[in-house]
Each structure stands twice: as C-alpha cells, then as structure tokens.
Amino acid sequence: MNQRRFELLCAALLGFGQLFIMTGFDSESFILESVIHSIHEREPERISSYAGYYGQAVIYAFYMVSCIFSPSILAVSTPKINLVISAIFFTAFPLGFLFTNSYYYYFSSALLGIGFALFYQGQGGYLTSHSTRKTIESNVSLSWSVGCCCMILGSFILATITKLSSGEPELLMNAMNVTSEAHKLERRFSELEIKLLFTAFTVISIVGIITFFLMPSRDVENCIESSSEKKDTFTGAFKLTCSTIINPKMIQLIPLFCLCGLNTSFWLSVFPTAMSFTTHNSKLIYLPAVYSFAVGSGEVIMGIMISFLSKRIQNFGQKPTMTIGAVCVLIYCTLIHLSTATYAPMTPTNEEPILFHHSYLLALIIGLICGIGDCCINSVRSVICALAMPKRRPQAFSVSKVFQALASCILFFLSPMTPLYVYTIGLPFLSIIATFLFFSIAKRTQKMERKMTEGTRNAAEISKKLAL
C-alpha cells in the first residue's frame, strides 16, 4: 500500500471510530433534555427536570479543564492510547440511562468531558502524524465527514426505536402528575423507548473502542508531527499550553473557538429541545430522527466537497470554507427565529411562532444547513490550529478546545433561562466577527508558509551547488 492510500485508510478509520462513539453522544444530545424531562415528570425525586442542560454543562466544564492538561498527557502517551481511553469514557455515559441515577449521571458526565479532551487531542495528534502539509486539509475533511455519518446512523436508530415503541401509551402523552394541557401535548419518551435507545448507543460505543484499538499507529513519511518522537515532558508540555493561551494568534482566534462551541451546542441540543418542547409538534414524533439525518447529511456532503475542492483550489479549506460556514449560520438562525417560539428552549409551550410552524421539511432544511455550516467551521479550526503554530500544534488544538468548551459550558448553564432570540441574533453576529479575525490569521499563516517554502527551496539549491 502506497503512502497516500495508507493516509486515507488511517483518516477513514479515525472517522469510523468517531462515528461509533459520537453516534450515541450526538443522538443523546438531540433528545437529552426531553428524555430527562420525561423521567422527571414520572419520578420527580429521581432526577431534576433541567438535568439535561446542567449535565451537558458539567460535560463541558470538565472538558474545558481537561483540555489544559491533555497536551501534557499526549506528551507522555500516544494519540491511539488517548483515543481508546476516550472511547471507554464515551461508553460509560449512555450506560447510566439503563438505571437512571443522578449521582451516576453527573459522574459519567464528568468522565465524558474528560473523554472529549482526550479524543480531540488524540484525533489532532493522529491526523498530524498521518498527514503531510499537502494532504492535511483533505484528510481532516475525510475524517470529519466519515465521523459525521454518526448523525445519519443515529437518525435511523431514533426512527427505528420510535417506531418499535410507538404503541406505548406514554410515548406522546403522559398525564401522570400533570395538570396542564400544554404539558399533555409535549413530546414524551417512555421507559421502554429510553432503555432501547440507550442500549443501542452503549453497544455502538463499544464498537468505537474496538475500532480505535485496531487502528494502525505507524507515522507516515514527512508527517506534520510525529507521534513516536517525544520532544517534551508532562510539565514542559503543560507550561507550553499555558503560554499558548496568551499567544496573540490564539487570542485573535478566540471568537472562532467560541463560535465552534456555541454553534454546535445550539444546533445539537438547544434547538432540538425547543422542537420537542413545542406542543404543536406533539404528533411529529420523528422530528429528532429527520433533523439528525439532515445534520449528518450536511456534514458529510460538505466534508466531501472540502476534501475534493482542497485538491484543486489552493487553501480552499481556509477563507472560502469559513465564508460558507458564516453564511450558513446566518441562514439557519433566521429560519429558526421565524419558526420557533421564544421560550421553547426553556419550557413546554404552545406559543405561536413569528411566521410558520415546524414541519418535517423545515427540520430537514434547517438540519442540512446546520450540518454544512458546522462542518465548515470545525474544518477551518482544525486546519488553522495545524498550520498557524507549527511548533505548538498539540497546544493550539488544546487551547481551541478550552475556549470552545468554556463557551458551551456557559451556554448550557444559562439555557434554562435564555430566550431563543439571544441565540438566533448572537450567533450570526459572532460568526461575522470570527470570520474577519480568521481572515487576518489565515493571510499571515499563508505568508509564513511561503517564506518557509522559499527558505527550504533556497537551502536545497545551495546544497545542490555545493555537492557539484
């Protein structure tokens, strides 16, 4: 097998591992607050009604702290070890819903946050050790697009189990301990449906552990960053991470990193919860499945496009991709603003939207645009972290995740009291700021690369003349 095929194989396997562990997490995020709200309505003492939001806040709080230390862990281990451990932590989370308990729920949320940090650090290290400068953009996009099939797979799991359990009397309505008509019409999840869903998510996460364990670990020739050469100690890597946080380039990219966190958390959890809490949608029981399929399709389609166009258009994975991502955020936020009640993310409501109601078609359109935009924004973040600071790549990846996790953590803590328009107006505004600042960094990075290329070429010519 030649090197390019080996690179593609490694990127694809990394993507499949991501697919398996993220199928559960992403699908859970679509329905988590609604599932916990349903459990709380039946057994109030078992878990709090907003534990879905608060649990995700715990995830991102531990994710943020762990990101500071994850480069140090990578310095004394390998990307593959990080990926295997992260997959184990991802598996522990859905397992808890087979015996829902508040203590285990928050404990597994903390483990999942640590797993996130280990996964993304391992992912970045694995990609840079199995890519060259010429192939990094296409490899990142390939891995990301394969990984994002998790939402397509998750949509089939959601639809299938919803169909199998649709005969349960509790599926659409559960009037037990409920007196409000609005509450009788909200989307509910039965005990059977919850157990079936989270059993499936646990099993598929275990497949992710196996995939990461079987991945090849040999570095490719002329790779961006070797995983076998340990150039630093745990303490040295930690100090380097702390200094990277205050690096001017990283500070200028903070809006982009925050956009990654806020954007993903909004379309992954807040908006799906708003659809479930909208009483007009009570009969649209397949909305989470349709929306998940659309988001996954958008991610995959855009990932393939970036990979294809990056081979033909120089630096397509930077400014052009960022522009597409920002435009997508503006479009889908407008559609959500016009179709969703202001307080739908916070509580079940029968409030009328500004212009039109949700439908399967609208969920498909919004999900597709969300997926395209998210793929663009995450792709440019991965590329710029790999290129902007050549001597601190693990630290750059880690710092980007620190700010991403911080933004997500704040969002989930405030979600129970944040009206919809705060998101639908704030996200487009942030995306515009992030785009302008990213353009500046991308321009400087491209200049730096040209100088390095010219220096390498000149050195090669001098060596050639001396040899003659």
Side-chain angles (χ1 to χ4, degrees), residues 35 39 42 97 189-198:
V35 164
I39 296 172
R42 287 190 289 269
F97 281 85
F189 290 84
S190 68
E191 282 291 333
L192 173 62
E193 190 175 12
I194 292 170
K195 290 189 183 301
L196 288 174
L197 282 170
F198 286 90

Side-chain angles (χ1 to χ4, degrees), residues 176-194:
M176 186 183 300
N177 297 326
V178 180
T179 57
S180 165
E181 282 299 316
H183 280 225
K184 290 181 182 180
L185 292 174
E186 76 194 61
R187 172 70 163 96
R188 297 296 178 87
F189 290 84
S190 68
E191 282 291 333
L192 173 62
E193 190 175 12
I194 292 170

Side-chain angles (χ1 to χ4, degrees), residues 16-52:
F16 276 113
Q18 179 182 354
L19 182 156
F20 293 129
I21 65 170
M22 289 294 184
T23 292
F25 174 75
D26 286 342
S27 300
E28 290 155 8
S29 297
F30 287 137
I31 61 174
L32 188 59
E33 176 56 32
S34 301
V35 164
I36 287 180
H37 201 81
S38 298
I39 296 172
H40 173 78
E41 288 291 342
R42 287 190 289 269
E43 301 178 68
E45 72 286 349
R46 196 171 175 187
I47 197 165
S48 66
S49 61
Y50 286 116

Side-chain angles (χ1 to χ4, degrees), residues 52-292:
Y53 282 141
Y54 293 138
Q56 290 180 91
V58 170
I59 291 171
Y60 286 101
F62 275 83
Y63 178 22
M64 176 185 65
V65 174
S66 301
C67 281
I68 299 175
F69 297 96
S70 58
S72 303
I73 296 173
L74 185 62
V76 296
S77 63
T78 66
K80 184 173 177 177
I81 291 174
N82 281 22
L83 291 169
V84 172
I85 295 174
S86 70
I88 294 171
F89 288 173
F90 269 85
T91 305
F93 184 75
L95 185 64
F97 281 85
L98 304 182
F99 52 89
T100 309
N101 173 279
S102 288
Y103 297 107
Y104 182 84
Y105 170 69
Y106 286 111
F107 172 72
S108 62
S109 296
L111 283 182
L112 182 52
I114 298 170
F116 253 120
L118 295 177
F119 168 73
Y120 282 116
Q121 194 62 236
Q123 182 193 51
Y126 194 81
L127 281 170
T128 52
S129 66
H130 291 80
S131 303
T132 66
R133 173 58 189 93
K134 291 182 179 180
T135 61
I136 181 65
E137 291 182 8
S138 59
N139 287 352
V140 166
S141 298
L142 172 62
S143 176
W144 186 259
S145 59
V146 172
C148 287
C149 287
C150 64
M151 283 173 281
I152 297 177
L153 178 59
S155 71
F156 286 111
I157 293 173
L158 287 168
T160 300
I161 293 178
T162 297
K163 179 66 175 178
L164 290 174
S165 57
S166 59
E168 284 284 300
E170 294 178 314
L171 179 64
L172 297 178
M173 296 182 291
N174 185 343
M176 186 183 300
N177 297 326
V178 180
T179 57
S180 165
E181 282 299 316
H183 280 225
K184 290 181 182 180
L185 292 174
E186 76 194 61
R187 172 70 163 96
R188 297 296 178 87
F189 290 84
S190 68
E191 282 291 333
L192 173 62
E193 190 175 12
I194 292 170
K195 290 189 183 301
L196 288 174
L197 282 170
F198 286 90
T199 297
F201 297 151
T202 301
V203 170
I204 202 166
S205 295
I206 292 172
V207 179
I209 298 174
I210 298 170
T211 303
F212 285 143
F213 183 78
L214 296 177
M215 283 195 315
S217 55
R218 172 175 59 86
D219 296 344
V220 300
E221 188 178 350
N222 297 321
C223 63
I224 294 176
E225 189 86 34
S226 173
S227 62
S228 58
E229 297 178 9
K230 300 303 175 185
K231 302 177 181 179
D232 213 340
T233 63
F234 183 94
T235 305
F238 176 72
K239 291 179 179 178
L240 200 58
T241 301
C242 293
S243 64
T244 303
I245 292 176
I246 58 174
N247 183 279
K249 287 183 180 179
M250 289 294 102
I251 292 174
Q252 194 168 340
L253 288 170
I254 286 176
L256 173 62
F257 303 151
C258 291
L259 177 64
C260 287
L262 296 174
N263 179 59
T264 301
S265 299
F266 177 66
W267 65 255
L268 189 63
S269 182
V270 175
F271 177 58
T273 298
M275 287 195 291
S276 294
F277 277 177
T278 300
T279 58
H280 298 291
N281 300 337
S282 61
K283 294 183 179 180
L284 302 176
I285 61 174
Y286 296 106
L287 264 183
V290 170
Y291 178 70
S292 177

Side-chain angles (χ1 to χ4, degrees), residues 410-447:
I410 293 172
L411 179 145
F412 282 120
F413 268 123
L414 298 179
S415 287
M417 60 192 78
T418 305
L420 181 79
Y421 66 82
V422 174
Y423 307 109
T424 54
I425 295 174
L427 281 173
F429 182 72
L430 178 60
S431 68
I432 293 171
I433 296 174
T435 300
F436 279 111
L437 293 175
F438 173 80
F439 274 29
S440 173
I441 291 291
K443 184 177 180 180
R444 287 158 53 191
T445 300
Q446 290 163 16
K447 285 183 178 179

